[in-house]
Amino acid sequence: MATGKINVSVDNIFPLIKKFLYSDHEIFLRELISNATDATLKLKHLTSIGEAKVEYGNPIIEIKVDKEGKKLHIIDQGLGMTEEEVKKYINEVAFSGAEEFLDKYKDAEKDAGIIGHFGLGFYSSFMVADKVEIITKSYKDEPAVHWSCDGSPEFSLKQGKKEERGTEIILHIAEDSTEFLEDNRISELLRKYNKFMPIPIKFGTRTETLPKPEDAKEDDPAPTQEVDNFVNNPNPAWTKQPTELEDKDYKEFYRELYPMQFEEPLFHIHLNVDYPFNLTGILYFPKLTNDLNIQKDRIQLYQNQVFVTDNVEGIVPEFLTMLRGVIDSPDIPLNVSRSYLQADGAVKKISSYITRKVADKLNSLFKNDREEFEKKWNDIKIVIEYGMLSEDKFFEKAEKFALYPTVDGNYYTFEELQEKVKANQTDKDEKLILLYASNQEEQHSYIEAAKAKGYEVLLLDSPIISHLMQKLETSKEKLSFARVDADHLDNLIKKEDTQISKLSDEEKEKLKTNLEEVIEDKKYTVQLEAMDSDASPFIITEPEFMRRMKEMQQTGGGGGMFGMGNMPEMYNLIVNTNHELVSEILNTKTAKKRERLINQSIDLARLSKGLLKGEELTNFIKRSYEMVK
């Protein structure tokens, strides 16, 4: 038996490992199973090229909990280690990584995710164990080796009694980590990190019901048997070629990823690239609501089928974090800090590749089955609009498939829309005005007025549409969006042939004074307009700029100087000077009747705009009944 001291400049590295990696305590199991997987896959490669003269067979990785003995066993049937290899890989290589780790992090705050980066995978065992044993036998014809270390720099190394090829790691679980002796906790970790590992992982047994014998009576219980319990799917859908999979396979894999999701995804995108980096994966478009904050199930990031994280911001473009699915790349570092990941060159390339693939898929769906794409538009528009807003390359590609629906249920690309409305909706300054509504019910009367003039009204109702309109207006020349209730139509799309007012300047001045005497609410600005005599006498509008700034503020950005949610409510009261009711108000002899007519007319306009509520609505209804009498 040999003993020795691990060559490291710090007397006791293990408390430091424990201290710095405490927040990632549970990943020790992922690290050890990853090592076991590597050892098994390396053996597969060596046997395939004839370098290892052994039978590969059907190796598994087994996890055993010995609750009484307070031990956790991780057993593989991989290539194992000779005594020389144990000295090299366990005592030297890992600890050179440990020294680098100490130099860099001894004075730093906790940084989740340094183990894999510093070759400390095996030593993460000491986060949960106060003694670790390795019993290993190499595929080469050499004796087994038994290594042991109790968390100090001393180790012992002797000949082992193991007969079969492979490695067994025994963790003597520390008092503060006994949670890792619970079957449920280990099952939870295996589900989280090792659900799709490429080597079958056995953990305990499960009871399987067998068919009843033919001569069994009806009330006889069905026979059962104990079978090995394998916790992973070693061949998940993303590791296969798209040609090997059908639509049902993609749907089944979605259910495997998200067992609590009962709605099927709208469609999927299979990622498969091996140059200039390696990347596989499947992304799913789920049905999305307009609430940007609801995101229960996220994209899962893997490295060679080992789960890394489901916090993929900075790896996947932000607008795609609303999707679901899996991304697997050996080029993504397994376990380093988020800032390191975001600055990594491979990660940046991966991010732009995924953006391009998503755009190409959307474009082909649109081209191949436009009708189906239009049906799904409301469920996917939030991702597309967010992408257009946040990624310039996606914005350019989305020109081909981003849709602009109308209140009548027609869908246009921007180019089609431009062609359709430019003759009728170009104003006197040659600016194209795109009218839109955000709520078909609330803005019904304004929509109808616009349609009566032959204008096309879009239905744009997502929470970020104000931001996107701003971007479209700045990226395209002579274009402006205006909500149908932002002003009188003749002001929204100004033509040369404006109406002539029936009222003289003196009459207009008198009318304005009469109105302002009755309207006490300072948020209404009276605006006299000459319009068709059959247009509404009173219209309440909300100026586009003010309203849009308020909306942008609510979804972040825009008008920050006012403070969150502090934009004042401002409305224009547009009075049609050519309407007979307005003439009647002007010519009424008694102040009381004039006030009643003004209040009733303004309340009708407020009712149309959805602004009449509570006590004011009750009073309006009461007053209306009295007028009917």
Side-chain angles (χ1 to χ4, degrees):
M1 171 174 162
T3 59
K5 194 160 186 169
I6 292 163
N7 182 23
V8 67
S9 58
V10 179
D11 276 351
N12 196 339
I13 192 165
F14 301 109
L16 285 162
I17 289 176
K18 206 158 190 167
K19 176 188 167 193
F20 282 109
L21 303 180
Y22 187 78
S23 60
D24 259 334
H25 222 155
E26 64 182 37
I27 65 160
F28 79 93
L29 190 60
R30 180 190 80 181
E31 296 296 320
L32 295 178
I33 292 176
S34 294
N35 289 349
T37 303
D38 284 348
T40 311
L41 292 174
K42 279 174 186 164
L43 180 69
K44 184 180 187 178
H45 176 67
L46 293 177
T47 55
S48 73
I49 61 171
E51 200 171 303
K53 309 289 184 194
V54 293
E55 190 68 42
Y56 177 68
N58 297 300
I60 65 167
I61 294 166
E62 185 172 7
I63 316 299
K64 286 182 180 174
V65 172
D66 171 6
K67 197 167 180 180
E68 224 169 272
K70 295 188 177 173
K71 289 185 284 193
L72 183 66
H73 302 249
I74 294 97
I75 306 157
D76 71 57
Q77 295 161 7
L79 38 71
M81 286 182 281
T82 63
E83 184 176 341
E84 285 310 304
E85 286 167 339
V86 170
K87 286 176 182 172
K88 182 179 175 184
Y89 294 118
I90 301 299
N91 296 344
E92 293 169 24
V93 174
F95 266 103
S96 63
E99 282 209 272
E100 188 189 341
F101 158 70
L102 281 177
D103 289 343
K104 187 157 182 175
Y105 285 101
K106 60 188 171 193
D107 301 318
E109 292 297 313
K110 275 185 223 166
D111 188 318
I114 38 203
I115 287 185
H117 186 44
F118 286 95
L120 287 167
F122 166 70
Y123 281 100
S124 63
S125 317
F126 288 95
M127 293 194 295
V128 299
D130 45 26
K131 180 182 175 186
V132 178
E133 296 176 77
I134 302 172
I135 304 166
T136 182
K137 181 167 171 57
S138 171
Y139 72 93
K140 299 167 187 168
D141 191 19
E142 291 198 31
V145 183
H146 188 156
W147 179 94
S148 177
C149 180
D150 65 358
S152 71
E154 275 81 33
F155 68 88
S156 71
L157 190 63
K158 61 183 181 182
Q159 195 167 319
K161 294 175 182 167
K162 189 171 170 58
E163 299 292 329
E164 311 81 33
R165 176 195 75 226
T167 298
E168 176 173 6
I169 292 179
I170 304 166
L171 307 185
H172 296 257
I173 299 295
E175 282 305 319
D176 62 357
S177 299
T178 52
E179 63 183 285
F180 300 112
L181 293 168
E182 300 296 332
D183 284 1
N184 287 348
R185 182 74 170 112
I186 297 299
S187 289
E188 177 200 339
L189 293 183
L190 292 172
R191 266 196 315 275
K192 179 175 177 179
Y193 292 112
N194 307 102
K195 195 173 174 178
F196 300 112
M197 294 290 278
I199 305 296
I201 299 168
K202 179 188 166 191
F203 180 52
T205 58
R206 58 185 171 81
T207 305
E208 196 175 75
T209 305
L210 299 171
K212 282 186 181 183
E214 284 179 18
D215 58 348
K217 292 175 185 166
E218 201 175 316
D219 53 356
D220 281 353
T224 59
Q225 68 175 12
E226 288 296 302
V227 294
D228 289 344
N229 181 42
F230 287 95
V231 297
N232 60 323
N233 169 5
N235 303 298
W238 85 81
T239 62
K240 299 171 184 174
Q241 290 297 318
T243 48
E244 298 173 59
L245 300 165
E246 294 176 15
D247 205 41
K248 69 175 177 61
D249 299 314
Y250 287 107
K251 285 175 179 170
E252 278 170 16
F253 181 58
Y254 184 75
R255 281 191 286 274
E256 198 177 342
L257 279 176
Y258 308 111
M260 301 312 290
Q261 271 299 334
F262 303 111
E263 267 193 311
E264 289 199 336
L266 297 165
F267 52 84
H268 62 266
I269 298 167
H270 198 129
L271 306 167
N272 198 339
V273 65
D274 51 21
Y275 181 81
F277 47 81
N278 281 292
L279 178 86
T280 52
I282 300 168
L283 295 180
Y284 293 93
F285 266 76
K287 274 194 170 188
L288 291 163
T289 66
N290 270 352
D291 187 345
L292 291 167
N293 299 316
I294 293 177
Q295 194 195 346
K296 294 191 280 303
D297 298 307
R298 304 197 289 189
I299 291 172
Q300 298 173 14
L301 183 68
Y302 287 77
Q303 191 220 58
N304 289 329
Q305 294 175 240
V306 183
F307 176 79
V308 178
T309 182
D310 62 0
N311 183 10
V312 293
E313 287 90 346
I315 301 154
V316 171
E318 196 179 351
F319 77 101
L320 294 177
T321 57
M322 289 183 273
L323 303 189
R324 298 188 180 129
V326 164
I327 293 167
D328 188 336
S329 174
D331 296 326
I332 289 177
L334 179 61
N335 207 352
V336 292
S337 69
R338 183 140 301 281
S339 57
Y340 179 96
L341 266 183
Q342 287 166 354
D344 186 75
V347 169
K348 284 180 178 169
K349 284 181 196 149
I350 285 167
S351 178
S352 60
Y353 165 77
I354 293 168
T355 301
R356 194 175 75 247
K357 279 292 284 188
V358 169
D360 292 346
K361 173 74 173 188
L362 290 164
N363 193 35
S364 74
L365 286 167
F366 172 70
K367 281 199 311 197
N368 297 338
D369 192 346
R370 177 162 179 165
E371 193 181 333
E372 194 56 33
F373 190 82
E374 287 179 359
K375 280 183 198 164
K376 289 174 176 167
W377 177 253
N378 274 331
D379 294 311
I380 61 174
K381 66 183 177 191
I382 194 86
V383 176
I384 294 170
E385 289 169 355
Y386 194 7
M388 290 171 74
L389 198 55
S390 57
E391 298 276 330
D392 287 338
K393 282 182 181 166
F394 186 80
F395 181 85
E396 288 161 27
K397 284 180 171 280
E399 287 271 71
K400 296 174 191 165
F401 56 77
L403 293 177
Y404 298 84
T406 71
V407 289
D408 297 322
N410 299 316
Y411 291 82
Y412 299 104
T413 63
F414 189 83
E415 203 176 301
E416 292 164 349
L417 181 66
Q418 203 172 10
E419 203 51 43
K420 183 163 176 57
V421 304
K422 69 181 176 189
N424 201 22
Q425 290 180 215
T426 302
D427 70 7
K428 63 184 177 63
D429 300 320
E430 294 188 355
K431 186 183 254 194
L432 182 68
I433 312 297
L434 296 179
L435 299 177
Y436 73 98
S438 57
N439 186 309
Q440 218 159 338
E441 297 295 313
E442 287 177 13
Q443 291 144 23
H444 184 266
S445 62
Y446 300 90
I447 293 167
E448 290 307 302
K451 282 165 73 175
K453 279 188 173 279
Y455 294 151
E456 199 72 63
V457 182
L458 302 174
L459 181 61
L460 304 176
D461 58 1
S462 82
I464 56 169
I465 201 66
S466 299
H467 295 274
L468 183 58
M469 287 188 297
Q470 207 86 342
K471 178 155 184 169
L472 286 160
E473 286 168 347
T474 52
S475 66
K476 296 180 186 298
E477 283 183 16
K478 297 203 165 186
L479 171 73
S480 188
F481 284 85
R483 205 166 84 178
V484 282
D485 59 349
D487 204 335
H488 178 249
L489 276 169
D490 291 348
N491 287 341
L492 291 178
I493 305 178
K494 279 194 171 175
K495 307 279 186 178
E496 297 296 355
D497 54 339
T498 50
Q499 291 274 342
I500 297 163
S501 177
K502 290 177 182 175
L503 303 183
S504 66
D505 289 348
E506 291 80 18
E507 285 174 316
K508 282 197 260 186
E509 203 53 51
K510 185 185 171 193
L511 175 66
K512 197 168 184 185
T513 306
N514 288 337
L515 290 164
E516 285 171 348
E517 281 170 358
V518 175
I519 302 163
E520 292 171 2
D521 200 331
K522 294 285 179 271
K523 66 184 172 196
Y524 292 99
T525 305
V526 176
Q527 202 173 305
L528 305 182
E529 298 278 353
M531 302 188 256
D532 290 340
S533 56
D534 57 356
S536 297
F538 287 80
I539 304 167
I540 291 174
T541 65
E542 193 174 358
E544 179 75 16
F545 172 77
M546 292 293 281
R547 197 210 68 254
R548 207 191 284 186
M549 291 298 278
K550 195 161 64 180
E551 287 169 357
M552 286 167 73
Q553 200 180 51
Q554 283 161 2
T555 51
M561 62 182 176
F562 291 101
M564 204 61 168
N566 292 337
M567 291 282 286
E569 283 196 331
M570 299 294 289
Y571 299 99
N572 290 331
L573 175 66
I574 297 173
V575 182
N576 181 0
T577 59
N578 289 344
H579 197 283
E580 58 182 332
L581 175 62
V582 175
S583 297
E584 192 182 336
I585 289 169
L586 185 64
N587 298 322
T588 297
K589 298 286 182 276
T590 65
K592 196 171 181 185
K593 185 184 178 187
R594 183 168 56 245
E595 189 179 330
R596 195 171 76 245
L597 279 174
I598 290 171
N599 278 328
Q600 191 70 3
S601 302
I602 291 170
D603 280 353
L604 281 164
R606 290 170 74 202
L607 189 66
S608 172
K609 180 80 176 146
L611 294 169
L612 199 61
K613 292 170 185 166
E615 188 182 351
E616 289 177 324
L617 179 59
T618 307
N619 292 340
F620 166 75
I621 293 167
K622 192 177 174 185
R623 188 170 71 235
S624 300
Y625 278 131
E626 283 167 5
M627 287 173 78
V628 173
K629 283 193 288 185

